[in-house]
Amino acid sequence: MNRDMETLLSMYEQILEMIDLGVHAVDQHGKTVIYNRKMRDIEGMNIEDVLDKNILDVFRFNPEQPSTLLEALRTGESILNKQQTYFNNKGQAVTTVNQTHPLQKDGRIISAVEIAKDITKFRKLIQEHHQRGEAGRTFADIIGQSEAMQKAIRLARHAARSEASVLLIGEKGTGKDLLASCIHHESERRAKPFFAQTCLSLPDDWMETMLFGNEEDGEIQPGLFEQADGGTVLLDDIDSLSLPLQQKLARFLQEKQFVRAHGQEPVRADVRLIASTSGDPIDAVQNGELLKSLYYQIAVHCIVLPPLRERKEDILPLAIHFIRQGNERYGLHVEGLGDDVQEAFLAYSWPGNVRELEAVILETMATMEQEQTITLAHLPAPFRAKLAPDETKTDFLFDTEDILPLDKYMEEVEIYYIRKALQHHGFNITKTAKALGLSRQNLQYRIRKYQIDKEWG
């Protein structure tokens, strides 16, 4: 082999490792000859467990769903857009959508190659939605005596008696999911399904399938609207939904029917929509993030949930509520907060709102033993630093005991700064992206990559 051929093969190998689709090739005997990095990630396998081994010795396939690679070898025909579920050598289910092709030389089949897209996580999301038969919540479950919160509850009670769409407006962690659940469970639809889905974390094609379903190769995969027929669907971060999907959603709300992805025939569904946003919907319309027509359809009932810093009289009752939950979870007998903790909680701005308060209480109680009162010393150290920033402030760039690899350290800095920017802009994607000098798509990619939106969102 000459040097040019060695160089070319090295280039091919590196390119295969960089491709963000799984590539798996077998020879004419079904033994693996190519198995790239993405395919290893999808299947949760090490290369030495698969390479040079017959795939039937490594993976388990259902008789109804034989290996598409072996089928392409056997028939000599390509298999396109085929969804397949099988099991790796750890017994874990893997679900992919495959493009599988036989490869020929001199008219003879010598190999087969499969290009796979992972939808395992997507399938899990669908299953989670099927399993979300949560117990009914009522407005009595909402803790909040402040005038702003009582106003939101009054408006929500009125919305529960209606069939019209609802728009909930409030920062991350203010309780929009809880209020939406209460509206559903106190409405005439209470006996029907209630599903909640964020519009922020999934690629566009996945989101379309998640909401409207998919119809391909004779196989029907119902979406949330179809599953929720007669019930309610909550769409969080509605302004993060792509404009084409917003248009499809607006048509569905108007016509009460939609067409599944790759489908032809309309599907009717009677669904009440509750949408939410963490920013100003008027700004979202003006910035081109939210269709004006969709805004008018979903904002029949418009309810604003106040941030926790504007309802300080609710902080301590909420803390007691979460302490009761912690007692049940950890088998403790904590009675309340010390005076110093109460003062600190009332002085703190709670950028993560109620969800941050819940997380702080439960994280604190996870490390307690038989104490009956939560003191400042019990609180997590990072949170104590937020309570007294002037006393504990250090230079973030150098506040570390260990010397990390540079790429790992730079990643931590990036996560810290993106989170800080998101909190500063109330988790408004457009404003944050503009401030950071990124595109919306680039910022959303980083949010998904680092799972930043799951912290208090």
Side-chain angles (χ1 to χ4, degrees), residues 186-428:
E186 293 207 3
S187 75
E188 295 297 323
R189 296 175 179 263
R190 66 178 67 88
K192 296 294 185 177
F194 172 74
F195 293 136
Q197 173 61 45
T198 177
C199 300
L200 185 63
S201 59
L202 291 177
D204 209 35
D205 54 342
W206 286 25
M207 181 60 70
E208 182 177 12
T209 300
M210 175 68 76
L211 297 181
F212 299 102
N214 187 58
E215 185 176 334
E216 202 164 10
D217 296 330
E219 181 177 346
I220 293 177
Q221 182 177 329
L224 289 187
F225 290 131
E226 201 166 345
Q227 297 172 52
D229 187 28
T232 307
V233 170
L234 166 65
L235 293 183
D236 281 322
D237 300 300
I238 187 72
D239 48 329
S240 294
L241 199 64
S242 71
L243 293 182
L245 286 184
Q246 288 188 35
Q247 291 172 338
K248 187 168 183 176
L249 176 60
R251 286 195 299 271
F252 166 56
L253 293 176
Q254 183 175 354
E255 300 171 4
K256 302 299 182 184
Q257 63 181 20
F258 58 88
V259 177
R260 302 186 191 98
H262 305 105
Q264 299 294 329
E265 298 298 323
V267 178
R268 295 195 64 83
D270 173 25
V271 174
R272 187 196 194 169
L273 179 68
I274 302 178
S276 77
T277 176
S278 58
D280 187 328
I282 302 301
D283 286 347
V285 171
Q286 293 176 343
N287 294 334
E289 300 169 0
L290 182 62
L291 289 178
K292 183 183 293 187
S293 59
L294 179 59
Y295 168 70
Y296 286 129
Q297 286 177 288
I298 63 178
V300 179
H301 296 281
C302 203
I303 304 173
V304 178
L305 279 80
L308 191 54
R309 62 183 174 275
E310 294 180 6
R311 43 184 288 221
K312 288 187 178 294
E313 58 265 57
D314 295 333
I315 292 175
L316 298 183
L318 282 165
I320 295 300
H321 171 70
F322 295 134
I323 287 173
R324 293 195 189 103
Q325 290 184 342
N327 284 333
E328 292 180 7
R329 179 179 298 186
Y330 302 116
L332 300 174
H333 301 282
V334 177
E335 296 178 356
L337 306 171
D339 292 341
D340 52 354
V341 177
Q342 292 185 35
E343 292 177 7
F345 277 14
L346 292 173
Y348 182 57
S349 62
W350 298 104
N353 294 294
V354 178
R355 191 159 296 164
E356 183 185 7
L357 175 59
E358 178 184 18
V360 168
I361 293 292
L362 295 181
E363 184 179 352
T364 298
M365 296 181 69
T367 60
M368 295 180 68
E369 295 181 357
Q370 300 303 318
E371 301 94 331
Q372 294 184 333
T373 303
I374 295 176
T375 67
L376 282 175
H378 290 121
L379 299 176
F383 182 72
R384 291 203 307 271
K386 295 178 184 179
L387 294 178
D390 294 335
E391 298 176 12
T392 60
K393 187 174 181 180
T394 58
D395 189 341
F396 170 78
L397 294 176
F398 302 101
D399 183 21
T400 178
E401 297 179 0
D402 300 322
I403 301 300
L404 302 174
L406 184 60
D407 58 344
K408 177 64 176 175
Y409 183 68
M410 294 307 295
E411 179 179 297
E412 291 188 2
V413 173
E414 183 177 4
I415 294 171
Y416 166 83
Y417 200 66
I418 290 175
R419 182 183 294 123
K420 181 179 179 181
L422 284 165
Q423 291 174 353
H424 179 76
H425 292 287
F427 282 80
N428 183 288

